[in-house]
Amino acid sequence: DLSWYNHQVSIKKFFDRRHKYPTDYTTYSKSNLQAAAKARGRAGGHLLWQGQYATHLKWWWNIWGQNSTIVFNFDSFIHEPEDTFFRLAKFLGADPAPWRNFTLPRENARSHEGKVHIQDVDPSICKELKEHFSEPNEQLYKMLRDAGSLPPEMPPFKPFKDPCAPKKPKNR
């Protein structure tokens, strides 16, 4: 959700008066959490629904089947790019050789006006969002664990990291 918000801010969507979205992350999050509570589990009606991946995956599996769909945790693209892109190339039937020694460029690392960093998010908002996504994330993990015919190229899906956990300082 924070990544999506930052993308929208970077393209100035939240600063366009024609859109009804609030311009700060706390207000944005609170309004979407309220809309999600009103929706009572129904799809849509709030932007947080976009991050409830189990709902989307059920739809994709109904259309394409389990063996035609591959799911990666985004962290694998960041921390294991060579393996992840190698698996993706094999899944797509492309030559995986060009992905050897591949590293993902840090294209989205730059700052922009209004960008919000996770450590700057109000802890109560982070907690509410974590609680909101807890059940949908568990549904996703269960779906992937219990699936009968996932592609062989798909690695085990690692649970999402806790965005509210304090960041460990990097060793120098």
Side-chain angles (χ1 to χ4, degrees):
D1 181 65
L2 180 60
S3 178
W4 186 90
Y5 173 85
N6 279 326
H7 171 71
Q8 297 302 304
V9 168
S10 76
I11 62 172
K12 308 285 189 245
K13 184 167 184 174
F14 287 119
F15 298 106
D16 184 343
R17 294 181 199 273
R18 293 173 297 157
H19 293 88
K20 62 183 177 182
Y21 304 113
T23 58
D24 67 277
Y25 186 70
T26 298
T27 306
Y28 158 85
S29 296
K30 283 182 180 180
S31 96
N32 277 293
L33 284 162
Q34 288 170 353
K38 286 180 188 173
R40 293 187 185 94
R42 291 188 322 272
H46 56 91
L47 296 173
L48 300 179
W49 175 75
Q50 297 173 15
Q52 295 174 213
Y53 303 123
T55 303
H56 304 294
L57 189 58
K58 285 177 197 171
W59 184 78
W60 294 330
W61 281 356
N62 284 333
I63 293 173
W64 294 296
Q66 291 178 359
N67 64 343
S68 297
T69 311
I70 192 164
V71 181
F72 293 100
N73 182 321
F74 185 70
D75 278 344
S76 65
F77 283 99
I78 301 299
H79 301 293
E80 302 159 2
E82 181 180 354
D83 179 63
T84 304
F85 281 94
F86 185 87
R87 288 172 180 271
L88 184 57
K90 283 183 69 176
F91 172 75
L92 295 171
D95 180 8
W99 300 104
R100 298 210 186 279
N101 302 313
F102 177 76
T103 58
L104 195 63
R106 301 269 312 177
E107 298 280 327
N108 196 21
R110 68 182 182 275
S111 222
H112 55 75
E113 181 184 352
K115 184 171 185 176
V116 178
H117 299 275
I118 190 67
Q119 65 268 22
D120 299 326
V121 173
D122 179 323
S124 67
I125 294 294
C126 194
K127 182 178 183 260
E128 282 187 72
L129 288 166
K130 181 180 172 182
E131 289 169 3
H132 171 81
F133 286 109
S134 177
E135 185 179 332
N137 287 347
E138 288 303 322
Q139 289 172 356
L140 174 66
Y141 306 150
K142 182 175 181 357
M143 281 176 65
L144 293 170
R145 265 193 321 268
D146 296 349
S149 60
L150 295 173
E153 298 86 2
M154 187 171 148
F157 191 86
K158 295 176 185 171
F160 299 115
K161 291 180 182 173
D162 180 354
C164 302
K167 300 285 183 232
K168 295 178 185 173
K170 293 182 180 181
N171 294 338
R172 294 183 188 224

